[in-house]
Structure formats: C-alpha cells, structure tokens
Amino acid sequence: MEELEWIDIGVNLTDSAFDKDRNAVIDAAAAAGVTRMLLTGTSLAESEQAIALAERYPGQLFCTVGVHPHYSKDHSSADFRQLASLLRSPGVVAVGETGLDFNRNFSTPAQQESAFEHQLELACDSGLPLFLHERDAHERQVEMLKHYRNHISGAVAHCFTGDKQALYNYLDLDLYIGITGWICDERRGVELQTLIKDIPANRLLLETDAPYLIPRDIQPKPKSRRNMPQYLPHIANKVAELTAQPLAALATQVKTNTELLFRLNAQP
C-alpha cells in the first residue's frame, strides 16, 4: 500500500518550543508522511532563522518571509527593504505571515495597515504568494486585498476560522484556505466543520500551525500540549471524514494545491 505524502504549509519551527529537539521534530514529521513543511516567518529575525533552517533541509523545508501584524510596530522601512532582499533567498516561497489583527492590537491598526501594505507591495514586486493572517479585521483586510489582488500571484488565508461570509469573501478573491486542527475541536470548531464542504477541492490546504492549536481529539492524548507537524495526518483524516472522500484522494488534491500555489516543484 502506497504511503500518503503530506505538506504542512504552516509550522512555526523557529519557535523556542522546538529549541531542544528541532531536528527530531523534523524527523518525526517525515516518518509520519509529512515530507515537506513551510516554516512561518513572523518578523525579520525569525524570517532569517527560517531561511537558515530551510537551507539545511533543501527540498524538505521551505519558508515564508514577513512580519506578523503583532510585530508591525517593531519594523521600519529599512527592515522591509531587507525583507525584499530575503525574498530572493533559496527556499523562500511566500510573503508573510502578514495581514491585520485588530483583536488585541499589539501594534496599532495604523501600524498594522502600513506593514501590510509594505508586504502587499513586496508580493506584487516579487511574484510570490501571500501567507495571510487575519483576526477581527476581515472587512478592512479584504478591502486592502482587493486593491492589490490583480497584481498578486496568489494567497492563502492561513488558519481559517471565520464564518461563511468571510469564507466566501476569500473565495471570491480566489484565495486558498488553510485548515488547521481547529476543525478537530468539538467546541470551537463546529462552524468550520459545517463550512468545510463549501471549500472547493482545488482551494484547500492543510497545516498544523505547530506548536499552537494541537487537535483536541487526538487519542491517546499526548502528554504535551505542544502541537507537532507529525499530527497533520490526523487533521487530514478529520477533513476527509467531513467531506466524505477517500484519504488518498484528499492527499493527492492538497499536495497538488500546495505545489501549485507555492511553486514547490520549481524550487532548486
């Protein structure tokens, strides 16, 4: 029986939660069929760390380069010029994690919008797709995306947990939708469980967002609450169940989607 191959599009592998066993985590993911991973860049420093890590695992690890809205206030115009040069590094496949987060406003909305605009322009200039974050800022984020959409190669709404209107707004912009272990949550994930059938097969991507968002229904329950990329097949099983499709068909489709959006097969 052929083993299924998975690609985790969102792993925060530079996070300190992985400092003690990062290599082992990569090996465990590969053993579970997660043969490729995209490491998330959330700041200039973390983007540089993600690039360095991806360079150690060519063809297995890729990364994004960008500034998370929380850290918008910490980055100057000079930093964004440096990000532009980092986008040309081997293994970099997207701009982000970028977007708007008006939930806690660690950076002011104005600072977030400025950083987001910088990165929208980087995506236009580089031809790379966007890796998008959004929380409590949907209308404004969609408004900004619409202004640039015709000049952007593509984008994914990372860790989508929104409502039906938000989903359709993103699909109207021809975005991909990233699904995490949130869909395994019998409390918070109920709405997403009903919406998953509305996501076109050719727009679905899968991710763990490790070390965050560990699926609540993993059995036996892991001793640690740290999420791991090796749990991606568990999320995939839930999606296959909810969409009433064979797991192998899902694996093939999301692999194709991921390779297409991030042009993984074009990477050296």
Side-chain angles (χ1 to χ4, degrees), residues 40-97:
T40 310
T42 57
S43 66
L44 177 58
E46 286 213 346
S47 295
E48 290 173 333
Q49 293 169 24
I51 290 170
L53 191 52
E55 286 177 347
R56 288 174 45 204
Y57 292 85
Q60 183 177 1
L61 300 186
F62 305 88
C63 68
T64 73
V65 163
V67 175
H68 189 287
H70 286 344
Y71 309 128
S72 300
K73 65 180 184 296
D74 303 323
H75 291 77
S76 65
S77 295
D79 291 329
F80 286 107
R81 286 194 293 272
Q82 194 168 346
L83 281 176
S85 66
L86 290 180
L87 289 172
R88 296 190 288 272
S89 305
V92 175
V93 296
V95 177
E97 180 177 356

Side-chain angles (χ1 to χ4, degrees), residues 153-189:
S153 65
V156 57
H158 150 67
C159 189
F160 179 79
T161 58
D163 60 16
K164 186 172 185 176
Q165 187 59 59
L167 174 62
Y168 277 74
N169 287 344
Y170 284 143
L171 292 175
D172 285 345
L173 290 172
D174 207 22
L175 266 57
Y176 288 79
I177 308 297
I179 298 297
T180 66
W182 188 277
I183 201 164
C184 302
D185 192 320
E186 78 286 358
R187 304 171 306 170
R188 299 183 300 173

Side-chain angles (χ1 to χ4, degrees), residues 38-256:
L38 275 60
L39 315 186
T40 310
T42 57
S43 66
L44 177 58
E46 286 213 346
S47 295
E48 290 173 333
Q49 293 169 24
I51 290 170
L53 191 52
E55 286 177 347
R56 288 174 45 204
Y57 292 85
Q60 183 177 1
L61 300 186
F62 305 88
C63 68
T64 73
V65 163
V67 175
H68 189 287
H70 286 344
Y71 309 128
S72 300
K73 65 180 184 296
D74 303 323
H75 291 77
S76 65
S77 295
D79 291 329
F80 286 107
R81 286 194 293 272
Q82 194 168 346
L83 281 176
S85 66
L86 290 180
L87 289 172
R88 296 190 288 272
S89 305
V92 175
V93 296
V95 177
E97 180 177 356
T98 183
L100 302 174
D101 190 318
F102 294 167
N103 178 259
R104 297 178 71 179
N105 285 329
F106 289 117
S107 294
T108 67
Q111 290 168 330
Q112 293 183 46
E113 289 186 19
S114 175
F116 188 27
E117 192 150 28
H118 272 296
Q119 291 171 93
L120 286 165
E121 291 171 355
L122 288 177
C124 294
D125 293 343
S126 67
L128 294 175
L130 287 159
F131 189 82
L132 295 169
H133 171 102
E134 180 270 312
R135 190 173 182 192
D136 294 351
H138 182 74
E139 289 186 12
R140 180 57 178 146
Q141 181 140 317
V142 166
E143 181 182 11
M144 293 182 71
L145 282 169
K146 282 181 178 178
H147 184 70
Y148 287 89
R149 183 62 187 92
N150 289 341
H151 307 287
I152 292 168
S153 65
V156 57
H158 150 67
C159 189
F160 179 79
T161 58
D163 60 16
K164 186 172 185 176
Q165 187 59 59
L167 174 62
Y168 277 74
N169 287 344
Y170 284 143
L171 292 175
D172 285 345
L173 290 172
D174 207 22
L175 266 57
Y176 288 79
I177 308 297
I179 298 297
T180 66
W182 188 277
I183 201 164
C184 302
D185 192 320
E186 78 286 358
R187 304 171 306 170
R188 299 183 300 173
V190 172
E191 185 172 21
L192 185 58
Q193 291 174 5
T194 63
L195 286 177
I196 189 70
K197 292 180 181 178
D198 288 4
I199 301 174
N202 66 348
R203 282 291 172 267
L204 178 65
L205 302 178
L206 298 178
E207 54 182 325
T208 58
D209 202 27
Y212 314 111
L213 296 179
I214 187 170
R216 278 177 48 84
D217 60 349
I218 291 180
Q219 296 295 334
K221 191 174 289 293
K223 294 179 181 178
S224 170
R225 295 302 298 163
R226 180 182 67 163
N227 197 7
M228 307 265 278
Q230 71 193 58
Y231 299 149
L232 189 71
H234 179 86
I235 298 169
N237 269 290
K238 186 67 173 180
V239 172
E241 172 193 326
L242 291 167
T243 55
Q245 65 177 307
L247 189 62
L250 176 65
T252 299
Q253 182 68 66
V254 294
K255 177 173 174 283
T256 298

